[in-house]
Structures are given as structure tokens and as C-alpha cells.
Amino acid sequence: MTPSARKFSKVVLVAALLALAAYWYWSPWLAIHQMRNAAKAGDATAFNERVDYPLLRESLKGQLSTAIGAKATERSESGSDIAKAGAALGSLFATAMVDSMVDAFVRPESVMRIMQEGKLMPRRESRAKQPDGPVSDPEGDAEGSQSSTRREPIWTTERHGVDTFILYARRAGQAEDRRTGLVFQRRGFASWVLTEVRLPAL
């Protein structure tokens, strides 16, 4: 191999390594972009490939159970014996319901909504539609459009080490502790999977 050929081979190798490193670094953003596109298109098959539903359910069950337990402890420390017994019983029933509620709720359509809107519950319709379709109102449509823009979440990201990437969503004016966090874990070289949804303080 001639010196020029060897030099060219080294340049190609370095370029390939740099491209690979760039792909590895930007892979979580690419995964999120693909998930959001799948959510907008209603493509559950493509979306589900990047969601670990068992881990997602466990994360929500743990957070809700912890919140219920904290509320029960709070009530039991500040009330009468009857209030304490009622709080303990209520906590027991609520904890028993958490599992079935989470199992029923964590489905592709609800997780897709989180990826699009940054929250668990759907938006309220600002205007009821008439049987023949929506009423055209240029001024109202403009106001609705501005309102919709204001409701769009503010997205921020954090990277923890090489295996964890968190996408946060919050509304304008909301405190940091009111944001929702979507936690992605790296699988393999550059594949990312949604494994947890961190809820705002309850």
C-alpha cells in the first residue's frame, strides 16, 4: 500500500470513528424524536419498541404507593385515634387500588400522550363541536391557537452518566418540582428505552 493510500485509510478510519461517536452521543435525542413521530402518527408498534412497560408500571406504582403512605402518616400524626384508624384504612384501600389502576392506565395511547403533551391526563377541549363540525370563528380560532401555544410544554434534558437520559416537561411558570420526567435507559450500544415516568410531587 502506498503512503498516500495509507494516509487516506487513516483519514477514513478517523472519520468513521468520529461519526460513530457522534451517533452514540446523539442517540437519545434521535430515539425521542422517533418516538414522538410514532406517537403523532399513532404507530403503536414502532412506539412500543422503545418502551419497557413492566418497568414503567413498577415506577408509577412505587411513586403512588409512597405518596399514599406519606399522606397517611401525615394524617395519623395529627389526628385522633379514630382519624388515625380511618387514615390507615384509607391508605390500605388506596394502595390496593394502585396496582389495578396503573395496570389499566399504562397503555400505548396514554404513554404516547405523555411524549406529546408532557402530562398524564389529556387536554380539555376548549370548544364543543357542533354535529356538522366545528363553527368557524377567525377571532376565536386565533385565540385558541394562542392558548394552545401557551399550553405547549417546555422540554429540557439531563444526562446522568452514559446509561441514563431524562426528558423533562413543564408548563410556563411552573416550578421545577412540578415537572414530569421521562427516564430513558440505554440498551446495547445506542438504543434507548423509556423505563420510568417521574411524577411531580403529589
Side-chain angles (χ1 to χ4, degrees), residues 62-107:
Q63 291 174 81
L64 291 173
S65 296
T66 299
I68 290 168
K71 293 290 182 186
T73 302
E74 205 177 290
R75 289 189 189 122
S76 65
E77 288 175 350
S78 60
S80 63
D81 289 341
I82 294 176
K84 290 177 183 178
L89 189 61
S91 173
L92 218 77
F93 278 118
T95 302
M97 289 177 62
V98 162
D99 284 6
S100 57
M101 286 173 59
V102 170
D103 287 339
F105 181 78
V106 178
R107 296 174 295 175

Side-chain angles (χ1 to χ4, degrees), residues 3-138:
S4 60
R6 282 197 296 271
K7 185 177 179 181
F8 178 74
S9 297
K10 287 180 181 178
V11 169
V12 170
L13 180 60
V14 169
L17 290 173
L18 288 174
L20 196 62
Y23 173 72
W24 180 88
Y25 181 80
W26 292 104
S27 58
W29 283 279
L30 177 62
I32 289 167
H33 177 70
Q34 291 171 340
M35 287 183 74
R36 296 192 73 182
N37 283 346
K40 287 177 183 176
D43 187 348
T45 302
F47 187 85
N48 291 343
E49 290 175 357
R50 295 188 179 275
V51 182
D52 189 325
Y53 285 99
L55 283 180
L56 197 57
R57 291 187 183 98
E58 286 307 310
S59 80
L60 288 172
K61 288 175 185 178
Q63 291 174 81
L64 291 173
S65 296
T66 299
I68 290 168
K71 293 290 182 186
T73 302
E74 205 177 290
R75 289 189 189 122
S76 65
E77 288 175 350
S78 60
S80 63
D81 289 341
I82 294 176
K84 290 177 183 178
L89 189 61
S91 173
L92 218 77
F93 278 118
T95 302
M97 289 177 62
V98 162
D99 284 6
S100 57
M101 286 173 59
V102 170
D103 287 339
F105 181 78
V106 178
R107 296 174 295 175
E109 55 268 29
S110 56
V111 183
M112 284 181 181
R113 183 166 61 242
I114 300 172
M115 286 296 301
Q116 291 179 279
E117 300 185 11
K119 60 181 181 178
L120 292 173
M121 301 308 294
R123 293 176 180 170
R124 291 180 182 176
E125 292 295 333
S126 59
R127 184 187 302 250
K129 293 184 178 180
Q130 299 298 328
D132 342 2
V135 176
S136 177
D137 181 349

